[in-house]
Amino acid sequence: MCGIIGYIGARPAGALLFKGLKRLEYRGYDSAGVATLDGGKLEIRKDAGKISELDEKLHFESMAGSMGIAHTRWATHGGVTRENAHPHADCSGAIAIVHNGIIENFQELKAELAAKGHSFKSETDSEVIAHLIEDNYKGDLEKAAFEAAKRLRGSFAVLAVSAKEPGKIVCFKRESPLLVGLGNGEMFAASDATPIVEYTRRVVFLEDGEAAALTKDSAKFYSLDDWKPLEKKASTVEWSAEDAGKNGYSHFMLKEIFEQPQALKAVIAQDEKNLAAFAEELKKAKRVIAVACGTARHSAVIGKHMLDRVAGKDIEVLIASEFEYFADRVEPGTIVLAVSQSGETADVLDGLRRSKAKGARIMSIVNVKGSSIDRLSERSLYLNCGPEIAVASTKAFMAQCAVFYLLAHAMAGKLEKAEGDLRLLSGLVQQELDAANGKMKEIGEELAKKQNAYYLGRGVNYAIALEGALKLKEISYVHAEGMPAGELKHGTLALIEKGTPVFLLNPEDYTYYESLSNGIETRARGAKLFGLSNKENKAYDEWIRLPETIDALLYPFLSIVPLQLIAYYAAVARGNDPDKPRNLAKSVTVK
Ligand code: F6R
């Protein structure tokens, strides 16, 4: 994971890079560092810890120079220490690099370089890149980076600078994301557009095996295979810096939960021709396999139910990291449908590349336009919900479910109904947010004192049980399990004891009575039963009221909202930062 940013221009680089790191912090936040160049002098400040705390100690803003590179880390190789934080320098202290990705052959490279006399300061895989560049450096940073990149196996997005060539940043990538921002008399490079949109919205996405050399007035692009120049087209980022701010909310997560009514409306603004073609292709496909991770997979499970019930189309849903064991055997006629907020999730990308090589068509539902998954896809539908910054996904989940709702209805020739339903739903979610926030805060605070919680649902509601449990555990660290209500008796019921919180997804739909019986079974063993339903029932210890709606398939949208709020308030009550849960990062760009 990790986030990287580089700048070259006329502004004070330390301040700009520090601000950029704060924007990128959601990609990793266990350590950070900045390198600036002032004339021929390279300075590096870095350490383990959160970026704001580090700044109090290291004062990034006071660093001299108007060019530099910076990194925020999510540790993969080597512990969370100052030595392992980026930027990493070569032996001479003239070359510095930042890296996102994993260098798979770093041990052999390290041994080879150490035998030549290079000395290493960190345990990271990344440091070898600085030494490899040094080893190949004969007065030309671009050439040295090109030679070094040839030796690297694995995934990388790298920015490199040298004190011997002030005025240049060299960038190269394979698999990990990297874009170049084009300004007037200034250039940027970054993992994504969030740290640069306030300066420029014109960006060029680097593809795998591409490189760039930036000066303040030029951006030149090259193929990493032979360093031949490439013509690249710039795109325009469609959202603004304000979209990436907190707008008065205490956390991004809360802001994003409250943005969901808007997100539902924004989903409707699909390119209709594209949606129709997407729907047609899915209908005709011999086999459709949806691949995704975490929350995105939960939305795909909901999508499976929607496609089945509305359009009579059966699709498979696989966890992306498990799909890789089947990806090499897919056949032409198969559509692999990626679902991803970031569009950069490594496990998803891996399966897509492999199944594409076998003749599968790749289609996707993504939020970030121009992301790696989007670019690999023959056709994409977009969430249109703006940047999602909190690590725990909320509005992107809502938007993914809404895209599936539109898609299922488009496949059944009922798109207009779906559009109307989503407009109505947007109002209902707003009502819920207005009415339920206070009560969900109380329940969240109650849950913060518990060790375990269980979430049960059947049919389409099972996916909400999974998602509710994931939200709670990832930000509050209360252990939570989501499961099909019918599966309870086959083991998990043994864990229910007096006071164990059980959340029953129990809207009045085709699953109502059977789920209710399962809830009552837990209550008989002492559980405290929270019933999420549009209909009150005396079996519930607490009724979490869902608004009435016109289509049973809309209940999942309504039942996730209180569960998101409960998780948020449980995390806050435990003193956790809900935006940055421990050990996690927003964009999982390593396998
Ligand atoms: C949980 C969460 C993750 C992501 C998962 C996939 O709240 O956000 O489980 O859903 O890492 O990420 P994307 O959607 O970017 O592929």
Side-chain angles (χ1 to χ4, degrees), residues 185-395:
E186 55 185 359
M187 296 290 161
F188 306 79
S191 301
D192 63 44
T194 38
I196 65 170
V197 277
E198 65 182 283
Y199 312 105
T200 178
R201 291 205 203 173
R202 284 186 66 226
V203 297
V204 174
F205 292 99
L206 293 193
E207 300 296 337
D208 289 344
E210 292 185 350
L214 311 181
T215 67
K216 69 184 185 39
D217 297 309
S218 69
K220 292 190 174 138
F221 299 95
Y222 301 96
S223 152
L224 253 191
D225 290 337
D226 47 16
W227 213 258
K228 289 233 170 85
L230 291 173
E231 285 294 322
K232 296 280 296 174
K233 259 183 50 196
S235 331
T236 305
V237 179
E238 282 169 14
W239 44 270
S240 67
E242 292 73 63
D243 292 329
K246 273 190 215 157
N247 289 354
Y249 285 92
S250 43
H251 295 96
F252 281 110
M253 182 176 175
L254 195 60
K255 172 187 168 236
E256 288 160 6
I257 291 173
F258 275 81
E259 279 172 352
Q260 292 180 114
Q262 193 46 42
L264 284 169
K265 285 193 195 143
V267 163
I268 303 169
Q270 293 293 327
D271 172 336
E272 280 201 14
K273 269 196 191 145
N274 184 43
L275 177 61
F278 202 110
E280 210 41 47
E281 288 197 43
L282 282 196
K283 249 162 76 176
K284 285 197 196 125
K286 231 171 38 194
R287 189 179 175 202
V288 178
I289 312 171
V291 293
C293 301
T295 289
R297 182 182 70 97
H298 301 159
S299 79
V301 175
I302 292 191
K304 176 180 168 65
H305 284 276
M306 289 175 173
L307 263 58
D308 175 61
R309 296 185 74 82
V310 178
K313 179 81 187 179
D314 184 30
I315 67 165
E316 296 158 68
V317 179
L318 290 179
I319 294 174
S321 55
E322 293 296 312
F323 174 59
E324 71 171 283
Y325 305 109
F326 306 99
D328 295 328
R329 281 188 297 285
V330 300
E331 288 175 358
T334 306
I335 289 178
V336 177
L337 174 60
V339 187
S340 173
Q341 187 284 129
S342 63
E344 299 295 347
T345 303
D347 286 318
V348 179
L349 275 165
D350 184 63
L352 296 188
R353 290 192 183 107
R354 288 163 60 171
S355 48
K356 188 171 183 163
K358 292 288 165 191
R361 272 176 78 69
I362 307 300
M363 310 211 334
S364 60
I365 297 176
V366 289
N367 193 28
V368 181
K369 284 189 188 167
S371 58
S372 305
I373 292 177
D374 184 25
R375 299 201 306 277
L376 204 76
S377 303
E378 290 173 51
R379 207 176 268 291
S380 300
L381 293 175
Y382 300 106
L383 305 183
N384 302 335
C385 68
E388 189 179 64
I389 305 292
V391 165
S393 183
T394 53
K395 65 173 178 175

Side-chain angles (χ1 to χ4, degrees), residues 504 516 519-520 523 527 529-531 536-542:
L504 182 70
L516 186 62
I520 292 170
R523 200 164 176 231
L529 189 62
F530 295 86
E536 191 167 14
N537 194 295
K538 60 180 183 335
Y540 308 147
D541 291 292
E542 287 244 20

